[in-house]
Amino acid sequence: MKIGLVDDRMIDLDKLNGIVSRVQGVEIVFSTTSAEEAYDQIKKETIDVLIADIEMPHLSGYELADIIHSHALNISVIFVTANSGYAVHAFELNVHDYIMKPYTNDRLMKSIERLMEKSKGAELKGRLYLKQKNDIHIVQKKDIVFIERSGRSTTIYTKEESIKTYLTLNELEGELRERDFIRSHRSFIINIHYVKNFSLYAKNSYIITFEGLDAQAMITKEKVEYLQQHYF
């Protein structure tokens, strides 16, 4: 599990580092006193968890969590704070935990361990099982870049492979209830986290290019506007 740490007080950040580094199966990707730097790191690095103070100068931990929530990033948030006033609003952002300072080492370690157990269960649920004649092909949903319907078959694209199935987009849409996926066009479902660029194709449609993939998808103008409003 990859974790980022941010607290504007160095003494509190050192405490976080000391506790988190003792949890087995955890890697600290970044540790910083600046919420702005944490935000830059989140844009560049893949992390699973952000542990953050709330009240910090310029950009607050709450604002960081709001960015994560509004952009549908797959990052869990643990707040470690001396201020109880944000608790209700924090849980509206689906934060994993809200820990009040001063706290014990065991309190934070158990919170991380609970999150690791929760992630293991989510990983099992986060798989797509595709029947292909006598075989069942298992695909991690998070690895799906986009899905295309053409004729009577459907192709699921990941960065490593493309998989043919006879499931319809309506059937697959029912399986992909995560906020990561949207029906961009009558023939396409896309994972918004891999989107690199929209290029105007016709009056009411765009071509989508993706990170790490040559294949392209389509999106309607209406859906581009929806993405801009709700995701970007």
Side-chain angles (χ1 to χ4, degrees):
M1 177 175 280
K2 295 184 176 183
I3 294 183
L5 309 175
V6 57
D7 195 308
D8 64 317
R9 281 169 45 92
M10 197 68 222
I11 189 171
D12 289 334
L13 187 63
D14 286 343
K15 181 178 180 179
L16 285 176
N17 274 285
I19 297 170
V20 175
S21 62
R22 294 203 299 272
V23 180
Q24 291 228 338
V26 159
E27 174 192 349
I28 298 174
V29 176
F30 64 82
S31 174
T32 178
T33 56
S34 165
E36 290 87 348
E37 184 179 332
Y39 178 53
D40 289 339
Q41 290 288 337
I42 287 169
K43 289 189 288 185
K44 292 187 294 187
E45 303 281 352
T46 299
I47 63 168
D48 303 299
V49 186
L50 177 71
I51 302 178
D53 189 14
I54 290 182
E55 292 190 321
M56 292 180 284
H58 309 302
L59 185 68
S60 71
Y62 181 82
E63 288 169 319
L64 271 178
D66 189 41
I67 290 167
I68 287 167
H69 180 71
S70 62
H71 286 67
L73 302 178
N74 191 25
I75 300 173
S76 298
V77 175
I78 297 174
F79 280 139
V80 180
T81 178
N83 192 325
S84 63
Y86 292 88
V88 173
H89 296 300
F91 286 104
E92 289 173 357
L93 298 179
N94 295 320
V95 301
H96 171 68
D97 206 349
Y98 195 102
I99 300 174
M100 292 294 299
K101 297 176 182 178
Y103 58 92
T104 63
N105 294 6
D106 191 54
R107 172 70 176 88
L108 179 57
M109 289 179 76
K110 285 188 174 176
S111 181
I112 296 169
E113 287 165 357
R114 282 201 318 273
L115 189 52
M116 292 174 80
E117 286 300 315
K118 181 180 174 183
S119 297
K120 287 177 185 175
E123 187 177 331
L124 290 175
K125 294 177 184 176
R127 298 180 180 184
L128 203 58
Y129 295 83
L130 305 171
K131 291 184 179 180
Q132 295 178 309
K133 296 183 179 179
N134 297 323
D135 299 325
I136 297 177
H137 200 102
I138 301 171
V139 181
Q140 290 282 354
K141 293 180 184 179
K142 64 181 177 62
D143 293 335
I144 297 172
V145 179
F146 76 94
I147 304 170
E148 178 182 11
R149 181 71 176 180
S150 180
R152 297 181 62 189
S153 68
T154 301
T155 305
I156 296 173
Y157 291 89
T158 72
K159 283 190 175 182
E160 286 74 35
E161 60 183 340
S162 57
I163 305 146
K164 295 278 188 183
T165 177
Y166 288 104
L167 291 172
T168 66
L169 289 191
N170 287 341
E171 290 170 322
L172 288 167
E173 201 172 11
E175 293 283 342
L176 300 170
R177 298 184 186 278
E178 292 83 351
R179 194 165 180 253
D180 303 352
F181 295 94
I182 71 160
R183 183 77 169 264
S184 64
H185 183 277
R186 67 176 181 275
S187 300
F188 294 93
I189 295 172
I190 64 167
N191 184 335
I192 64 163
H193 295 299
Y194 290 102
V195 172
K196 181 180 179 182
N197 185 58
F198 300 119
S199 298
L200 188 63
Y201 174 72
K203 184 179 178 180
N204 292 311
S205 61
Y206 292 77
I207 292 173
I208 308 172
T209 56
F210 299 93
E211 297 284 351
L213 196 68
D214 290 332
Q216 298 176 325
M218 298 288 294
I219 186 168
T220 65
K221 181 182 178 183
E222 179 185 358
K223 288 294 184 179
V224 169
E225 291 169 353
Y226 176 83
L227 281 177
Q228 289 173 330
Q229 183 177 354
H230 292 91
Y231 289 86
F232 300 137

